[in-house]
Amino acid sequence: MLHRLTTLGAVLAVAALAGCQTMAARPARTVADDTSTTEAVRSRLATDRPASLASVGVETVNGVVHLTGIVETPDQRLRAEQLTWQTPGVQQVVNNIQVQRPGVALAPSASVVTAPAVLRRSVAGTVSSVDATRSQVTVATGTEQLLLQLPPAIVRDVRPGDQIILDVSVRPAR
């Protein structure tokens, strides 16, 4: 009787452990699929014209493609994400591409400037939270957290994980 209970216990333990898998261990097929997805996305980005996006970093884990790097315009950032979504094997895209700040133009002389300089900046980020009752959206830009107050009609359609690109112009007060 004791032998049967010990054997039954061992069989149950083996069965329970057979279904377990650690977070670090991934099946070889998943790794191979992720590698081919990464290469397909890199190829698609490198051959896109007019602007090659070969400098964009690409990494795939379990079908989730992470994009990183710096591009010159918000349109290039968006184009990289669109091309990634068009690639077979992509289940989700995490777009962490940053848009390079445009260079600041200098006036020829201080006496020529009649209006205050305008600071322009494009900010791209990922929605981290949405508070529909307050019409607020929190956006993570990588180095900053932005709290945006938006119209309820816009907040209603925004979800965590969505990408937002803001073009901001600031004219300093006199």
Side-chain angles (χ1 to χ4, degrees), residues 142-162:
T143 58
E144 303 169 312
Q145 290 278 343
L146 304 174
L147 180 62
L148 305 175
Q149 185 77 36
L150 299 171
I154 293 176
V155 173
R156 179 174 44 239
D157 297 328
V158 177
R159 303 283 178 264
D162 287 350

Side-chain angles (χ1 to χ4, degrees), residues 79-94:
R79 180 71 178 149
E81 183 173 340
Q82 290 170 340
L83 290 170
T84 302
W85 276 114
Q86 294 170 3
T87 306
V90 174
Q91 296 174 10
Q92 184 179 354
V93 177
V94 178

Side-chain angles (χ1 to χ4, degrees), residues 50-127:
S52 173
L53 298 167
S55 64
V56 172
V58 180
E59 182 179 338
T60 307
V61 178
N62 295 329
V64 179
V65 179
H66 298 265
L67 302 175
T68 58
I70 299 174
V71 295
E72 295 177 8
T73 67
D75 288 339
Q76 288 177 326
R77 182 180 189 279
L78 184 60
R79 180 71 178 149
E81 183 173 340
Q82 290 170 340
L83 290 170
T84 302
W85 276 114
Q86 294 170 3
T87 306
V90 174
Q91 296 174 10
Q92 184 179 354
V93 177
V94 178
N95 190 345
N96 291 320
I97 298 172
Q98 299 295 311
V99 178
Q100 181 179 1
R101 286 192 209 180
V104 178
L106 300 175
S109 79
S111 61
V112 175
V113 177
T114 57
V118 175
L119 171 67
R120 294 174 195 238
R121 182 174 179 203
S122 291
V123 178
T126 304
V127 174

